[in-house]
Amino acid sequence: MNTYTCKFLTPEQALSLNPHLPVWFNPLWMKPLAFFYGLNPQVLTCFRNDNAVAWLPIYEKKFITLRKAFNPTLVYYSPVVFTLPPLKQANRELLREYEITRCLGESLNKGFKRVWLNLDPSLQDVRGFKDMDLKAVPHYTYVKDLKQSTE
């Protein structure tokens, strides 16, 4: 059985582990945005056998001892980025993503009193978050290639 562990990292630590992460994880983006809103930027990283397999950008606001995770206005969606080799069986791939999102949800529940995140539409299976008593609803967005005719 695969065991996953999650840790909160700084954006610099996350970028040093994987320099190919999208701009949403870059310290040049996260730090000024967090400063503007008075937040603390973090990256929730999921590990399997000391290999980072999933990433979630988090913005934290503290009030006395209460910690709250949420999306600032300029970051409407929080993408969960999986850095896993693809599997041949689609059902095994979904099971692996479920286990990872469950680990992420467990870490969010332990680390924060309140969680208010809009997950990226590319994440369609939110069962892992729901199993950890987080309210999670998939946001569906459809893309139409405008180069093709609409007829």
Side-chain angles (χ1 to χ4, degrees):
M1 181 175 161
N2 298 330
T3 58
Y4 296 97
T5 58
C6 291
K7 295 180 188 173
F8 290 98
L9 303 176
T10 64
E12 291 85 2
Q13 291 171 326
L15 199 62
S16 69
L17 285 175
N18 187 353
H20 303 292
L21 288 172
V23 69
W24 312 114
F25 298 89
N26 194 322
L28 295 174
W29 167 260
M30 289 185 81
K31 291 243 176 192
L33 185 69
F35 177 76
F36 180 73
Y37 286 101
L39 306 173
N40 180 27
Q42 299 178 13
V43 178
L44 181 56
T45 308
C46 186
F47 292 92
R48 179 179 155 218
N49 301 332
D50 295 329
N51 295 326
V53 294
W55 314 79
L56 176 65
I58 301 289
Y59 293 91
E60 171 193 17
K61 183 158 189 113
K62 275 188 181 179
F63 179 73
I64 306 174
T65 59
L66 300 176
R67 296 174 65 198
K68 178 171 117 176
F70 71 101
N71 293 30
T73 307
L74 291 175
V75 182
Y76 189 71
Y77 289 127
S78 287
V80 178
V81 175
F82 296 101
T83 54
L84 297 161
L87 295 175
K88 292 181 181 178
Q89 298 170 335
N91 57 345
R92 294 285 178 192
E93 182 98 24
L94 285 174
L95 178 62
R96 190 167 60 174
E97 287 184 11
Y98 165 73
E99 291 172 348
I100 291 170
T101 55
R102 187 176 167 92
C103 181
L104 292 172
E106 183 179 359
S107 295
L108 287 171
N109 255 350
K110 285 181 185 175
F112 297 101
K113 181 72 176 167
R114 191 160 186 216
V115 179
W116 193 281
L117 298 175
N118 290 324
L119 297 172
D120 193 60
S122 63
L123 182 70
Q124 297 176 358
D125 186 8
V126 295
R127 291 177 299 155
F129 293 105
K130 284 183 155 279
D131 285 353
M132 293 293 113
D133 295 328
L134 295 171
K135 292 181 183 176
V137 178
H139 294 278
Y140 296 113
T141 301
Y142 298 97
V143 178
K144 172 71 175 148
D145 185 12
L146 297 177
K147 293 178 184 175
Q148 296 179 359
S149 73
T150 56
E151 298 173 11

